[in-house]
Amino acid sequence: MPVTPAIDKLPSDRSFDPLSDSKTGLTQTSGRCRQMRAFKASFAYFALVFVTGFVLGAIRIPFVVPRLGVRWAELLEMPLMLCACFLAARFCVRRYGPFPALQRLGIGLVALGLLVAAELVLTVASGRSVAGYVAGRDPVSGTAYLIALIVFAALPLLVARRHGAGDSFARRPPRGAAGPDA
């Protein structure tokens, strides 16, 4: 007697996903695929924040620094950058996620490494030494900058919404889609 798959035993619901975990909302994918999604999220997070900082720096240096000085110009830019970091972290975690907490922290740390590396490359490319760059930082705005870097690294961990049990968050249904009560 031939063996036939029990297709009729599968749920008829089109949203059935044999790889999803109904308790956590996480999709079981290979480790390599998860790592690639995490790296893409890290790179996108870094790129969005770096470009925002580059644009704000292009405005700050010629227009704000001559009027207020380096310290106040950097301190005024800091809330804008932290807002951009928050929005970028939320976008990347939602776009490439869901991720467990430890992986979201890894996303932030990889993005921090990319950001610091890019800043050091630009420092050396502009003809300054790294030691001269660090020594030339204003003590107040430099300390605020270091705190902002720590917040930047932690934001992917902090922005994830929690839905249900576990250490993850579930994807939201697309706009206009019928909810579970419909």
Side-chain angles (χ1 to χ4, degrees), residues 16-38:
F16 173 72
D17 184 3
L19 298 177
S20 70
D21 183 356
S22 61
K23 291 180 183 176
T24 64
L26 286 176
T27 301
Q28 299 170 2
T29 56
S30 70
R32 176 171 259 167
C33 182
R34 258 195 315 265
Q35 290 172 351
M36 184 54 75
R37 281 188 309 129

Side-chain angles (χ1 to χ4, degrees), residues 112-155:
L112 175 65
L114 291 170
L115 188 66
V116 170
E119 188 165 347
L120 292 178
V121 165
L122 287 176
T123 299
V124 172
S126 68
R128 296 185 290 175
S129 69
V130 174
Y133 172 73
V134 172
R137 296 283 310 190
D138 179 73
V140 174
S141 63
T143 303
Y145 175 69
L146 287 177
I147 292 169
L149 285 178
I150 293 168
V151 171
F152 169 78
L155 273 173

Side-chain angles (χ1 to χ4, degrees), residues 45 49 52 56 77-90 151 155 159:
Y45 181 42
V49 172
T52 303
L56 288 176
E77 181 186 37
M78 196 77 52
L80 298 173
M81 282 303 300
L82 287 173
C83 182
C85 291
F86 172 80
L87 294 173
R90 188 174 67 175
V151 171
L155 273 173
V159 298

